[in-house]
Amino acid sequence: RLQLPRHAQHLTVHLGFNSWTCDVQDAALLPAGLPREASGGDGNSGGEGGAPVWLAATAVAPAGASDVHFALTDGTNWDNNGGGNYQLPVA
């Protein structure tokens, strides 16, 4: 599994719907504005005091979408879940 550098400045989510068969797109990952926990003990720290920085992206699912597959990149390195990509159902 490839991991992105801890302090990557520009992250993008590369995603596609219905097992990558439709509407493949890229969306910037931006600060989500969620509160940071003080501990940051999950290894994803990078914010103030070692607290995790939560990121979010916005994408529009096409009609009939049943799932979204995605991977994360800083433009050079990829985190693609060990080659399996990340997958979520679309409700």
Side-chain angles (χ1 to χ4, degrees), residues 9-67:
Q9 295 296 311
H10 303 283
L11 297 175
T12 300
V13 59
H14 180 68
L15 59 97
F17 296 90
N18 297 352
S19 299
W20 297 103
T21 62
C22 67
D23 207 15
V24 174
Q25 53 190 286
D26 292 318
L29 285 165
L30 302 171
L34 296 172
R36 299 177 179 171
E37 294 186 23
S39 68
D42 65 354
N44 294 321
S45 61
E48 297 173 20
V53 174
W54 296 98
L55 302 173
T58 301
V60 177
S66 59
D67 61 59

